[in-house]
Amino acid sequence: MRKSLIAFILTLLAAWPARAQDLLDLLNATEEEPVEYAFATFKTTRLINGHSVETYSGKELLFLISHRFGRINGGASEFFGLDNATIRLGLEYGITDRLGVGLGRSSFEKLYDGFVKYKVLQQKSGAENFPVTVTLFSSVAIKTLEWPEPERENYFSSRMYYTFQTLIARKFSEGFSLQLSPTLVHRNLVDSLADANDVFALGVGARQKITGSLSVNAEYFYVFPGQISSPLNGETVQNALSIGLDLETGGHVFQLHMTNSRGMIEKLFVTESTGNWLDGDIHFGFNISRVFSLGSSEGKGEKRKGDAPAEAPPSW
Amino acid sequence: MRNIMLVALLAISVQAAQAQNRWFTKEGYVRFYSHTPMEDIEAKNYQVNSLVDFSTGDMAFSMLMKSFQFEKALMEEHFNEKYVESAKFPKATFEGKYVAGTSIDPRKAGEHKVTVQGKLTIHGVTRDVQTTGVFKADGNGTVVGTAVFTVKVADYDIKVPGVVKDNIAESIEISVKTEYKPM
């Protein structure tokens, strides 16, 4: 009897309420595992030429200035291509966190373009799991250059180009992200019967972060063979290969790159890149983006639980 | 024999009383505020877990860094990606003790000034902090705790790149407000 009582008391003592550290353990034990969404898979909406899976958050406006210069092998007399610049000005707007729209104007071929982008699926881990982020992309481009042969009957529809992409990306680690971009470019008017109106291509892109604000990107668009046979300005059409650096400072992202493409929209770089890297037909280029917040993200309520406290602490 | 029984009973009752003095919230509020001539930055977290034991004075806080909401989505992204590295260090925690002038009965209406002391962990770095705060019991089963203090960004090994140095203050003001209910 006595023994069992002592045992009883000892048990009680052992179960004595624990002190501060165990309080934290207790807290941790009550926490549910959250769903972790992958964020910042890429720094901005472009990998280099092509779109990334990223969409800008709701009510954010992105102003994008892009330049591509002439070929580096133009030599000193062309100032290594810098004498010959093309520009694209673009505006992109996030209607919601997942839905983005954009407009652009390229000096090259006097092209206007517009696009819609929707993030369908998001990579997540933790309480829920999904391995990749998937974004659907669709764009229209209108070439407003004067007709090369004004005498013949020219249709407005012949100025139109369409692009459809399914962008699939995975952020493998904090530093490394990989993207696959199956692409279809539809051209209403092509040079010859041997050229396909619908061009299928597969884009592959990756980024590796060097520091928090600096990353190296690479991008390649493989056009499945037999679709483009006519030369362009006397040169064979090549697959687009680009490498670049992303530098982020506050609301700006600077992207500097080397590419064999002249154009900054899909129909140009997927189906009309003529530079050959091995011959030095490399264009230097950059994108500069600036984000403007037009609304406060606080109104969204999506992430919010509970309201602001009714009364502020004394010293607020 | 009787005595032993008494001690045991006493032990049980003390333990029960202590357990009842643990108060808890899952919807605590923590705000931080950075002020510079260039820019004011504010982030709010409404999903802070906290426990306080009014019998021992022990306190604990735990929050997910990703639950901080910023005015601009890009700030939130930079905060998580570059500054506090939420993927590596998902949580901020505090564990410590409060000291009050007199013992606090959380069920009786009243306001109590306290000194709170303990270890604050942010970005994987633990520092001793001390601040004053207030517990305000409404006598109806709610105790509201509030406190305001500052921390230095550099103390927690958070690196701010030169280009945004003018936009982020060296000292961040942290405000806490928790509405505890008995556990």
Side-chain angles (χ1 to χ4, degrees):
Chain A
M1 182 68 186
R2 202 183 180 95
K3 237 181 183 168
S4 66
L5 255 177
I6 290 172
F8 178 50
I9 291 168
L10 278 176
T11 319
L12 271 180
L13 283 175
W16 201 256
R19 313 283 296 185
Q21 265 168 0
D22 309 271
L23 222 51
L24 196 56
D25 291 340
L26 199 63
L27 256 194
N28 288 335
T30 62
E31 283 167 13
E32 300 138 29
E33 191 186 9
V35 181
E36 293 266 350
Y37 289 98
F39 68 101
T41 306
F42 298 102
K43 290 272 186 223
T44 181
T45 56
R46 311 298 163 117
L47 233 144
I48 291 177
N49 286 318
H51 274 264
S52 72
V53 289
E54 298 294 340
T55 51
Y56 263 97
S57 306
K59 309 273 187 316
E60 282 193 342
L61 183 72
L62 181 81
F63 180 46
L64 189 68
I65 308 169
S66 314
H67 268 83
R68 299 293 181 275
F69 297 97
R71 288 174 177 175
I72 281 174
N73 61 3
S77 75
E78 293 283 328
F79 202 51
F80 304 97
L82 295 187
D83 286 353
N84 190 358
T86 66
I87 186 171
R88 178 181 178 276
L89 296 172
L91 279 176
E92 297 176 17
Y93 181 66
I95 295 173
T96 70
D97 285 357
R98 292 172 163 231
L99 179 65
V101 291
L103 287 172
R105 165 64 158 75
S106 302
S107 63
F108 195 64
E109 293 189 339
K110 299 190 188 300
L111 268 159
Y112 289 87
D113 66 274
F115 67 81
V116 181
K117 207 172 165 181
Y118 185 68
K119 200 184 271 177
V120 190
L121 296 163
Q122 249 179 312
Q123 183 184 340
K124 56 190 172 184
S125 59
E128 293 169 32
N129 265 291
F130 196 73
V132 290
T133 298
V134 179
T135 299
L136 298 179
F137 172 87
S138 170
S139 78
V140 180
I142 305 165
K143 184 155 106 181
T144 63
L145 211 60
E146 281 184 25
W147 294 112
E149 297 166 65
E151 317 78 43
R152 80 176 210 183
E153 198 178 349
N154 288 304
Y155 301 102
F156 181 75
S157 62
S158 305
R159 297 181 175 281
M160 309 280 285
Y161 299 83
Y162 304 90
T163 304
F164 304 95
Q165 287 184 307
T166 305
L167 311 170
I168 307 160
R170 177 168 169 83
K171 189 176 184 179
F172 282 91
S173 68
E174 266 310 288
F176 183 71
S177 305
L178 186 72
Q179 177 173 308
L180 290 179
S181 323
T183 303
L184 165 62
V185 177
H186 176 85
R187 310 174 294 170
N188 273 347
L189 181 67
V190 289
D191 284 348
S192 78
L193 279 174
D195 292 303
N197 289 96
D198 288 325
V199 175
F200 292 92
L202 178 65
V204 186
R207 82 103 190 250
Q208 173 64 51
K209 264 163 74 167
I210 309 293
T211 69
S213 308
L214 184 71
S215 67
V216 177
N217 293 3
E219 182 186 66
Y220 183 68
F221 278 89
Y222 176 74
V223 177
F224 294 100
Q227 302 184 89
I228 303 170
S229 50
S230 298
L232 200 68
N233 304 323
E235 292 180 310
T236 9
V237 172
Q238 307 273 340
N239 290 330
L241 172 66
S242 319
I243 53 171
L245 282 179
D246 280 10
L247 182 65
E248 182 183 46
T249 65
H252 287 101
V253 178
F254 297 89
Q255 298 184 295
L256 310 172
H257 28 255
M258 299 291 203
T259 171
N260 61 342
S261 320
R262 194 81 206 274
M264 290 158 267
I265 66 165
E266 292 69 27
K267 88 106 176 160
L268 290 175
F269 61 77
V270 175
T271 65
E272 296 173 20
S273 293
T274 52
N276 187 337
W277 269 79
L278 299 176
D279 296 341
D281 304 336
I282 301 164
H283 304 266
F284 172 66
F286 61 79
N287 304 338
I288 295 176
S289 66
R290 167 78 211 185
V291 178
F292 300 94
S293 292
L294 299 187
S296 148
S297 67
E298 284 203 78
K300 287 185 294 188
E302 201 182 319
K303 283 193 283 177
R304 163 163 309 191
K305 248 192 210 165
D307 265 328
E311 72 187 281
S315 70
W316 285 11
Chain B
M1 201 63 191
R2 262 187 112 88
N3 288 342
I4 295 171
M5 289 288 267
L6 266 175
V7 169
L9 273 174
L10 194 69
I12 293 168
S13 61
V14 167
Q15 189 182 29
Q18 289 206 335
Q20 273 168 8
N21 263 331
R22 279 189 182 166
W23 292 51
F24 178 66
T25 181
K26 281 190 130 168
E27 288 175 352
Y29 168 75
V30 167
R31 175 188 94 138
F32 72 71
Y33 176 68
S34 151
H35 170 80
T36 62
M38 297 283 288
E39 191 170 28
D40 287 344
I41 300 170
E42 184 185 49
K44 297 170 178 175
N45 191 336
Y46 296 91
Q47 289 156 268
V48 176
N49 293 330
S50 178
L51 251 173
V52 55
D53 190 329
F54 286 106
S55 56
T56 60
D58 291 328
M59 298 182 81
F61 284 82
S62 174
M63 70 207 76
L64 285 173
M65 296 314 273
K66 275 199 181 163
S67 303
F68 277 99
Q69 298 168 18
F70 288 71
E71 187 197 346
K72 294 178 185 170
L74 203 61
M75 285 179 178
E76 199 168 311
E77 184 175 310
H78 292 166
F79 171 76
N80 285 303
E81 191 190 9
K82 296 204 274 187
Y83 303 136
V84 297
E85 301 178 86
S86 300
K88 240 196 268 174
F89 310 107
K91 278 182 189 174
T93 59
F94 172 83
E95 52 187 336
K97 252 178 147 11
Y98 74 80
V99 180
T102 56
S103 73
I104 298 173
D105 182 352
R107 294 188 184 278
K108 248 171 61 189
E111 215 175 303
H112 309 272
K113 283 214 164 88
V114 295
T115 307
V116 181
Q117 221 172 354
K119 292 179 184 309
L120 178 65
T121 306
I122 304 172
H123 192 231
V125 179
T126 304
R127 296 271 173 184
D128 287 320
V129 291
Q130 187 178 349
T131 179
T132 54
V134 176
F135 281 119
K136 198 172 167 184
D138 68 352
N140 255 330
T142 305
V143 176
V144 178
T146 51
V148 180
F149 61 104
T150 55
V151 296
K152 283 206 163 71
V153 176
D155 281 353
Y156 294 88
D157 203 16
I158 295 166
K159 289 175 195 83
V160 177
V163 276
V164 291
K165 212 140 219 166
D166 293 340
N167 299 61
I168 299 173
E170 284 176 20
S171 289
I172 308 285
E173 181 188 270
I174 300 187
S175 313
V176 185
K177 184 175 183 186
T178 38
E179 244 183 72
Y180 295 103
K181 299 277 184 194
M183 204 168 172

